[in-house]
Amino acid sequence: MGCGSGVLLVAMAEMGHRVHGVDIAPGMVEEARKCFEKNGLDPDNVQLGGIEKLPYEDNSFDVVTCVGVLEYVFKEQAALSEIKRILKKNGQIIFTLPNIFKLKNVLDPYYWLFLSFRHFFRYKILKKTVANTSDDINQISTNTNYTNRRYSYRQVKNIIAASCLAPVSLVGLGYGAFTIFRMEIFSDKFSIRVCDYFEKFIERSSFLSGKYFPNRWVICLKKIEE
């Protein structure tokens, strides 16, 4: 779901899987079909469609991947319900969600000083909302003038609980790079070392549990017999 240019699907196909892709942006569908043709795959296996109404029959797939997509949809549960429909029994969905309290944001005063004030002013005082369905769908793929959501660990757990899918795993991914007022304070090489250290430290810590502070979560759920 949200196959983009098709690179991930080609990598899956090279591992021996039969792959299909769908994307809401016509430009991405065109790019993915070109990528399929270049790599000897059937371009007709890439289709145009939204995640809330997928162009597939019930019980079609063993695995559905949904990377960097759910934060853009307006109702996560509607999307998960539609994905559940096209999964076979014991089929799995693997999806990602970004963390609003990632360690990078917690340690950078820019985020908890400036952005918290801006958020309060825009959404509490001016009563603005996130992008709506009238927006140009190509803005989703280019991330132009389009607001995606970020989640707390509690919100992620609530999404999982309401999905009517069985949890398989939830893994935190990444902890950097670290900044001060959005300016990187380490070289790339040293930043990687620092991030690796934080990852090992947090994963071992009973207080700073790794599930709360990663950049993003990778979540796997399974369709079970009802």
Side-chain angles (χ1 to χ4, degrees):
M1 306 297 106
C3 65
S5 62
V7 175
L8 180 59
L9 288 174
V10 170
M12 293 178 180
E14 290 174 348
M15 297 172 66
H17 300 293
R18 291 177 295 159
V19 295
H20 294 256
V22 62
D23 202 287
I24 195 173
M28 288 292 99
V29 171
E30 182 179 353
E31 288 297 318
R33 286 175 175 169
K34 290 178 181 178
C35 186
F36 267 44
E37 286 184 315
K38 181 180 178 180
N39 290 276
L41 302 175
D42 187 354
D44 290 337
N45 284 356
V46 181
Q47 299 189 49
L48 182 68
I51 196 171
E52 293 93 344
K53 190 175 182 181
L54 296 167
Y56 304 110
E57 297 181 356
D58 296 358
N59 307 308
S60 294
F61 296 100
D62 298 298
V63 177
V64 171
T65 61
C66 190
V67 178
V69 176
L70 285 185
E71 57 263 40
Y72 289 99
V73 304
F74 304 100
K75 295 181 179 179
E76 300 96 340
Q77 293 306 331
L80 288 173
S81 178
E82 180 68 350
I83 291 174
K84 179 183 177 182
R85 178 186 68 79
I86 67 171
L87 279 176
K88 298 177 182 178
K89 178 184 175 182
N90 293 322
Q92 297 186 2
I93 171 177
I94 300 170
F95 64 100
T96 65
L97 289 174
N99 183 7
I100 194 171
F101 295 118
K102 60 185 178 181
L103 193 59
K104 172 184 175 180
N105 290 0
V106 172
L107 297 179
D108 191 335
Y110 171 84
Y111 292 96
W112 46 266
L113 286 177
F114 174 72
L115 286 191
S116 59
F117 174 79
R118 189 180 72 173
H119 179 87
F120 179 81
F121 183 77
R122 291 183 63 185
Y123 300 111
K124 302 300 181 181
I125 305 300
L126 299 181
K127 305 294 186 182
K128 288 185 176 292
T129 60
V130 296
N132 55 54
T133 52
S134 65
D135 288 326
D136 180 0
I137 57 177
N138 283 294
Q139 293 179 358
I140 299 175
S141 60
T142 60
N143 202 27
T144 304
N145 193 30
Y146 197 92
T147 303
N148 62 315
R149 293 185 299 279
R150 293 170 177 82
Y151 302 81
S152 67
Y153 178 71
R154 181 178 180 181
Q155 288 174 313
V156 171
K157 294 293 287 184
N158 288 341
I159 289 171
I160 294 173
S163 69
C164 297
L165 294 160
V168 176
S169 64
L170 186 153
V171 178
L173 182 65
Y175 291 95
F178 298 110
T179 59
I180 296 294
F181 289 99
R182 303 179 71 182
M183 297 178 61
E184 293 191 11
I185 57 179
F186 304 121
S187 67
D188 290 344
K189 184 177 181 179
F190 189 70
S191 181
I192 291 172
R193 292 174 59 188
V194 173
C195 294
D196 288 344
Y197 171 80
F198 267 96
E199 184 169 336
K200 293 176 182 177
F201 174 77
I202 290 174
E203 294 298 337
R204 291 196 303 263
S205 172
S206 59
F207 175 69
L208 292 173
S209 174
K211 64 188 177 186
Y212 293 112
F213 298 110
N215 291 345
R216 180 174 290 268
W217 293 284
V218 181
I219 302 147
C220 181
L221 306 177
K222 179 188 290 188
K223 180 179 180 179
I224 55 176
E225 187 175 3
E226 297 178 347

